[in-house]
């Protein structure tokens, strides 16, 4: 039975899908309409108690949290497709470090910008300009640290593409597109080159259009 | 050279120290006084650009982000001390899922309660009662999901103690202690039994006193 990823139209599930493409793993997608509240139905909550996407079913194995899914498939199929965890346990340590930086430092401000600028208008809610300003500033500070790091290595965890880079794709694609804050990337020479590199990978070019 | 963990008096570094004790790995601690701003000194920022604790130095290998450190040592010394990653790649997938739940769902509200109730008074700042109420409610909802999960398995990732449980120790210790919100744990039968179990491990009894 082919594994199923729920919610392919949204950014966090795309983090998983782009990883599956890199790992050459077959999958099916199951649409979930967040605007209709399908992620809050009793059937869905039985499988994903936090009521968010993605949800993954692989036979009778169920996972939630997108970064757990990408770690699982990258480890299970280590030698298939692109190696996304580094070659040594020390390299994996650095992948884990920057993957946690993405989740803990980068994600909260970019997610807030996504909500305020992309989703609130769709839901007929006002955008909070103070929150936008604060989170834009927070994100800029994080990207200053990325700029310094990427002046010393080609990718975040070292000179190899990894989950740490991949994990940034979906929300940064929003940032340079519908959020209209591309300057945050383009004003930083090394971040800009890194973004061009990772976003032009065939895997992302395929998944971003879903 | 023995590895060094910076900031042993604080909660996030204790996440790492309790893991090192479980893994029977020797370490030294290097005090960092956050109230004096020692984490914002130029020397410190060279090693930890986000200016937070912990920071870890193991010879010339440097890591930041506490959950990356505990993953690294649990993998590197898989067969030494307590196995904290599960026996199979599927078990590790569930460890990763609940470790991400801790980082993404559990940590933000408990961290905000820590700031508002413990640290703001130390810094002479007022506590934001609205934020306390909101984050207490958020944390209660997360713990409702834990209660359901822990009614079906002894620990979060299954019937084995893992990084997913261990990662909760330092801030939950604040919650039942100085934050004075022990009721959030005690009002939930399975969460309460789980907390008694994990917090009474000799590793945590040793580290909590630092």
């Amino acid at each position: 039975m082919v594994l199923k990823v729920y919610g392919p139209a949204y950014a966090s599930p795309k983090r998983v899908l782009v990883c599956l493409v890199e790992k050459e793993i077959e999958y099916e997608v199951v649409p979930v309409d967040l605007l209709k509240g399908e992620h809050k139905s009793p059937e869905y909550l039985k499988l994903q108690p936090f009521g968010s996407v993605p949800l993954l079913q692989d036979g009778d194995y169920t996972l939630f949290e997108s970064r757990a899914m990408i770690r699982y498939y990258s480890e299970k199929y280590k030698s298939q497709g692109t190696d996304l965890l580094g070659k040594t346990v020390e390299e994996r340590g650095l992948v884990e470090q920057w993957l946690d930086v993405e989740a803990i430092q980068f994600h909260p401000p970019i997610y807030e910008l996504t909500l305020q600028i992309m989703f609130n208008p769709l839901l007929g809610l006002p955008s909070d300009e103070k929150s936008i300003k604060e989170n834009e500033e927070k994100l800029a500070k994080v990207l200053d640290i990325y700029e310094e790091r990427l002046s010393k290595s080609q990718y975040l965890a070292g000179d190899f593409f990894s989950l740490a880079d991949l994990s940034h794709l979906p929300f940064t694609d929003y940032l340079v597109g519908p959020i209209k804050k591309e300057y945050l990337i383009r004003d930083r020479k090394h971040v800009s080159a890194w973004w061009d590199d990772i976003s032009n990978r065939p895997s992302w070019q395929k998944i971003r259009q879903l």
Side-chain angles (χ1 to χ4, degrees), chain A residues 4-5 10 13 20 57 67 81-82 85 110 117 132 156 199:
Chain A
K4 292 177 188 171
V5 178
Y10 301 98
L20 295 174
Q57 285 187 296
R67 297 173 193 85
T82 311
L85 293 173
I110 205 169
I117 298 174
I132 291 173
L156 287 169
S199 63

Side-chain angles (χ1 to χ4, degrees), chain A residues 6 22 31 36 38 42 64 67 78 86 93 127-128 134 144-146 151 158 161 167 177-178 191 200 203 209:
Chain A
Y6 288 67
E22 291 281 353
K36 284 188 186 160
E38 290 176 358
F64 46 89
R67 297 173 193 85
K78 183 93 170 75
S127 299
D128 180 340
E134 281 173 5
D144 284 342
I145 293 171
Y146 282 29
S151 74
F161 178 73
S167 195
V191 170
N200 281 307
S203 59
Q209 298 162 28

Side-chain angles (χ1 to χ4, degrees), chain A residues 18-25 73-74 76-85 161 201:
Chain A
V18 68
C19 174
L20 295 174
V21 174
E22 291 281 353
K23 299 302 293 177
E24 301 171 5
I25 297 168
Y73 286 103
S74 298
K76 185 169 174 101
Y77 299 97
K78 183 93 170 75
S79 57
Q80 177 178 315
T82 311
D83 182 356
L84 296 167
L85 293 173
F161 178 73
R201 292 180 74 89

Side-chain angles (χ1 to χ4, degrees), chain A residues 47-48 54-57 61-65 68-69 72-73:
Chain A
L47 296 168
Q48 208 314 4
L55 163 68
L56 185 146
Q57 285 187 296
Y61 189 63
T62 299
L63 276 181
F64 46 89
E65 290 299 342
M69 297 174 196
Y72 170 71
Y73 286 103

